[in-house]
Amino acid sequence: MENLPGIVVTGASGRMGQMLVKTITASGKARLVGCVERAGNPWLGRDVGEAMGGAALGVTVTDDPLPAFARAQAVIDFTAPAATVEFAALAAQARAVHVVGTTGLEPAHHARLDAAARHAVIIQAGNMSLGVNLLARMTQKVAAALDADWDIEVIEAHHRMKVDAPSGTALMLGQAAAEGRGVALEAAKVSGRDGITGARERGSIGFSAVRGGDIVGEHDVLFAGEGERIILRHVATDRTIFARGALRAALWGQGQKPGRYDMMDVLGL
């Protein structure tokens, strides 16, 4: 076990954090060597396994990330943009692979990730699942094959607690569609329609978001033409798919050169 890559999980008390802890410890491919939470979290100072209601795992939850990162070969991070960019700098300092599943990143956040990636490996994606990344590749290919007479709409649904919209996955799919068409997403993106919006502009890429219940994640890419429609769809029913993908990314990142990567790189797509 000591020869296996050591991994730190940030945001360990959250739903994804707990799923990551379970996935890593059950994998037989990596070691859980640290768990990080924000100051004031009730899990601080407790064994993460016991805090999750199970057996002790020998890993105490801390709010001091750098010592934890220094013991690790990888950090898996599904937190919030402000925290993620701070973790990126610390992970780079520790020369640990930083796997970023955080959504809601804006250009300023990406700039800070770019800076950290000059010194360490950063693997960032709007979605870590194999299926979604295959969907993105198919979206790109279909968009490239169809002209702007086909309207593109990305429709996503998530649980009521999700705080950002469109989802990171929806934006990833929109980016794939824009790349297929050879346009900039920001120039074509339309979201948040309300009131008298007028006719749809030719070539636009629309986004629609649904929030409710405990929906893990559903994404449709609709290509609507005259007299026919093409719908590409991915439905997630278990968050384990994201944890498995993130672990795969952390393992793939070992030995890679510093830089920015995504799940397409990890999966060789």
Side-chain angles (χ1 to χ4, degrees):
M1 286 290 290
E2 290 300 318
N3 294 325
L4 297 178
I7 298 182
V8 171
V9 173
T10 63
S13 71
R15 282 179 294 187
M16 270 307 304
Q18 294 186 52
M19 186 63 69
L20 286 163
V21 168
K22 292 176 182 176
T23 300
I24 293 164
T25 55
S27 71
K29 299 177 181 178
R31 297 175 295 125
L32 181 71
V33 298
C35 286
V36 175
E37 261 300 349
R38 70 182 70 184
N41 187 281
W43 283 26
L44 292 177
R46 299 180 62 190
D47 183 279
V48 68
E50 294 176 344
M52 289 170 56
L57 295 175
V59 176
T60 300
V61 182
T62 179
D63 61 358
D64 189 4
L66 185 56
F69 291 5
R71 297 191 300 271
Q73 283 71 56
V75 176
I76 302 181
D77 176 18
F78 285 72
T79 55
T84 288
V85 295
E86 298 298 331
F87 291 144
L90 296 176
Q93 185 176 335
R95 299 300 188 265
V97 173
H98 188 193
V99 178
V100 178
T102 301
T103 59
L105 298 171
E106 297 181 352
H109 301 124
H110 283 289
R112 292 185 63 181
L113 293 183
D114 288 340
R118 291 199 291 266
H119 308 286
V121 173
I122 294 181
I123 304 166
Q124 182 266 323
N127 193 298
M128 294 286 174
S129 86
L130 171 61
V132 162
N133 283 276
L134 289 171
L135 176 62
R137 183 62 78 208
M138 289 189 290
T139 296
Q140 183 182 33
K141 288 184 176 296
V142 173
L146 302 175
D147 63 24
D149 287 336
W150 289 74
D151 298 321
I152 302 176
E153 191 82 10
V154 181
I155 305 153
E156 53 104 341
H158 284 87
H159 53 88
R160 64 167 65 95
M161 302 302 291
K162 187 167 179 60
V163 298
D164 58 312
S167 70
T169 303
L171 291 171
M172 184 173 101
L173 295 170
Q175 182 63 40
E179 289 174 0
R181 278 200 169 159
V183 300
L185 178 59
E186 287 306 311
K189 178 183 173 188
V190 175
S191 59
R193 300 184 189 92
D194 186 35
I196 306 300
T197 61
R200 183 182 183 118
E201 185 176 342
R202 186 177 186 271
S204 62
I205 299 174
F207 291 83
S208 302
V210 175
R211 297 290 178 266
D214 61 353
I215 302 169
V216 174
E218 299 178 4
H219 293 86
D220 290 349
V221 184
L222 168 67
F223 295 86
E226 293 294 331
E228 57 184 332
R229 286 173 287 172
I230 300 168
I231 302 173
L232 306 179
R233 172 164 240 227
H234 180 270
V235 177
T237 58
D238 186 341
R239 286 183 178 81
T240 303
I241 64 173
F242 310 127
R244 289 198 302 264
L247 175 58
R248 181 169 176 173
L251 298 175
W252 178 87
Q254 304 303 310
Q256 300 294 331
K257 294 180 180 179
R260 288 286 298 267
Y261 300 90
D262 60 22
M263 285 300 289
M264 296 293 185
D265 297 310
V266 174
L267 300 172
L269 295 176

